[in-house]
Amino acid sequence: MADVEFEREESENQLIEKALKFLHSGCGCSRGAKGGPCSKQFEEETVLHNLHNSIELTNAELDLVVLTSIQAFTRKEDIGSRRSRITQNVHSFLTNYVEENAIVLPGRIPGFKRDDVKVLSSSDTRASDWRAYSAACEASGEQAVCYSKFVDLWLQFHPDVVGAKPMTDLCLTCQQNTTKLLRAANLPETEKSDCIKAQQDHLNCAQAEREFYRETCSSSATMFNRLEVEINLNEVREPCSLNGMMHYSFDYAQQVHFPSNPMQPGPIYFKTPRKCGIFGVMCEAVPRQVNYLIDKAATVGKGANATISYVHHFFAQHGLGETEVHLHADNCAGQNKNNFFLWYFAWRIACKLHHSIKYSFLIAGHTKFGPDRRFGLLKKSYKVNFISSIYELARMVDASSNAGVNKAQLVATHDDRILVPVYDWSSFLGQYFKKIPHIKKFHHFRFSKNEPGIVYCKELLSSPEQAFQLLKDDAVIPPNPVLPQTINPEGLSEECRNYLFREIRQFCRSGTEDLVAPAP
């Protein structure tokens, strides 16, 4: 017995000495705090205490301790991984849902400091969205989070998305005036009167601009009806070949995804399919809207260069060749209401592509016009059709109305062949034209061939006109028919191609897999 006890004591001392040496020398890795060895995270007292406890155990008992520790660690890792996957599923679901259903407000709304707030329909509640999410999880065999966790993640991932109340007005000025009226109960009569007058003046102004838009569309339709027998809508017409006035409106729609299946498989709710932007140019006189389908691989953004290029292509390939044109656009400063568009219209006048051009905007917050109705027909058809490629999307657009009011125009094909080039208008025209100050306050612009380089601006329909010289040098006019350099799209990144092939290809219709999600 004495010999056995002596050997055991010596073995214990050796183990203690080895443990102390390990703690003092370190493990040699750099995975600990601040890049040091992870062994520095263990205190000497704790290590020795556990070592003494382990020495007192039999080999079988030690095996159980080791297995239990491994199992606990593995379970902890599995739980963390599963929570991460569930959180990612919620993020993907909300992102896809918001992109397809939310609208962007034209200005900041009360109670929100951000001016990029997106609004869901008043019929959409977080409870109904959670039920849709739960149904998608059940269909795909994924674990769903509870309602309270769903709301927490919503606030974390998309704090800028809110549900519209039934009384919500999308016009910022109307909201501000209404708020003042609600709070004016105890104010003096003069201040109450001022609040009412401000709101009435704003509504009268919005109504006047709306009536002007309708009258312009009606005048254009009347002229078209007189000349309809002379116009073939399927042929390309030369500039200024039609002596008369036409009216066009243009705007962007919310992008769509494909593949898109009305019998949506649950798992695709948590994926990000291929995206496609839509830009529509509406000729109210016909009526017909050309919808430019912009595949993600062909996009160069929604800035002025892209928007001007699509309008330029419309004039060249789908316009009626009118001498006078009147355009209405969404009141968006970044895309439409900027100096680059004015430069482009001045360039068209200088190049004798039009005799006169009028360019107008409705009052911000009151901008529902022709393109929105056609986008509605398009989206209605999109929700009930299985779309598995941009070619199928184009066919769906053409068939979205029995009257043929929607026409598709591909910007590029799946094999990256560009059909509608985007030009660098800002750099090209910047050589010849200069900016006008305070452009955002104006709602009407006018150009004439009799005064090339001059633009007449009005703040509102009833405001006096102000003339501005756009040319930097009156004697230097842009050459005709020189076009700017093209902007080549970057295409899909390698990461995006890998993702589409790995996650989206399985949802494509047979025969379209290589169009939408080819092997990278």
Side-chain angles (χ1 to χ4, degrees), residues 131-251:
R131 286 193 291 270
Y133 156 76
S134 299
C137 288
E138 182 178 356
S140 59
E142 296 284 348
Q143 182 176 350
V145 299
C146 64
Y147 174 70
S148 59
K149 184 62 176 180
F150 180 81
V151 173
D152 291 341
L153 292 174
W154 184 319
L155 296 176
Q156 176 184 341
F157 295 136
H158 292 283
D160 58 330
V161 178
V162 297
K165 298 178 181 178
M167 64 176 294
T168 297
D169 194 317
L170 298 184
C171 175
L172 175 61
T173 304
C174 285
Q175 292 170 353
Q176 292 174 336
N177 290 337
T178 301
T179 301
K180 290 179 181 178
L181 289 172
L182 292 174
R183 297 174 179 175
N186 298 321
L187 295 178
E189 295 300 323
T190 54
E191 294 189 30
K192 291 181 182 179
S193 178
D194 290 341
C195 290
I196 295 174
K197 185 177 184 304
Q199 176 67 347
Q200 189 61 52
D201 290 345
H202 172 71
L203 293 177
N204 290 340
C205 178
Q207 183 63 29
E209 297 292 345
R210 175 66 59 183
E211 289 298 326
F212 175 67
Y213 166 74
R214 290 173 178 168
E215 290 172 4
T216 305
C217 294
S218 177
S219 299
S220 175
T222 300
M223 200 211 77
F224 177 81
N225 290 334
R226 291 201 304 266
L227 302 173
E228 185 174 4
V229 293
E230 305 175 15
I231 299 175
N232 184 353
L233 297 177
N234 296 319
E235 69 177 13
V236 176
R237 299 183 62 88
E238 293 295 323
C240 298
S241 59
L242 178 65
N243 186 22
M245 187 274 290
M246 278 294 131
H247 181 272
Y248 304 111
S249 305
F250 57 88
D251 194 12

Side-chain angles (χ1 to χ4, degrees), residues 48 53 61 63 121 128 150 163 176 215 237 256 264 295 303 318 326 399 424 431-432 467 494 505:
L48 295 178
N53 289 338
E61 291 172 334
D63 289 342
S121 170
S128 64
F150 180 81
Q176 292 174 336
E215 290 172 4
R237 299 183 62 88
V256 296
Q264 193 75 278
D295 183 68
H318 303 286
H326 195 148
D424 189 2
Q431 305 173 73
Y432 308 99
E494 191 67 20
R505 187 180 176 92

Side-chain angles (χ1 to χ4, degrees), residues 36-48:
C38 62
S39 58
K40 294 295 184 183
Q41 300 178 17
F42 303 102
E43 296 181 358
E44 181 178 311
E45 182 180 354
T46 304
V47 172
L48 295 178

Side-chain angles (χ1 to χ4, degrees), residues 397-470:
V397 170
D398 290 336
S400 60
S401 172
N402 293 331
V405 299
N406 272 326
K407 176 180 175 63
Q409 170 63 61
L410 297 180
V411 171
T413 59
H414 278 299
D415 58 358
D416 298 330
R417 182 165 58 92
I418 302 298
L419 303 179
V420 181
V422 174
Y423 299 101
D424 189 2
W425 291 101
S426 57
S427 300
F428 173 72
L429 298 176
Q431 305 173 73
Y432 308 99
F433 298 104
K434 58 186 177 183
K435 296 181 179 181
I436 64 173
H438 310 297
I439 187 175
K440 293 182 181 180
K441 70 179 181 180
F442 297 110
H443 286 77
H444 299 276
F445 305 88
R446 179 172 63 86
F447 304 82
S448 173
K449 69 173 184 177
N450 299 324
E451 298 176 284
I454 302 292
V455 58
Y456 288 89
C457 312
K458 292 199 299 184
E459 290 190 30
L460 297 170
L461 195 60
S462 57
S463 305
E465 281 190 332
Q466 303 178 47
F468 293 93
Q469 173 61 266
L470 291 178

Side-chain angles (χ1 to χ4, degrees), residues 87-104:
T87 301
Q88 182 60 41
N89 284 345
V90 176
H91 179 267
S92 300
F93 173 85
L94 289 174
T95 300
N96 292 335
Y97 188 82
V98 167
E99 286 184 352
E100 292 188 4
N101 296 280
I103 59 174
V104 180

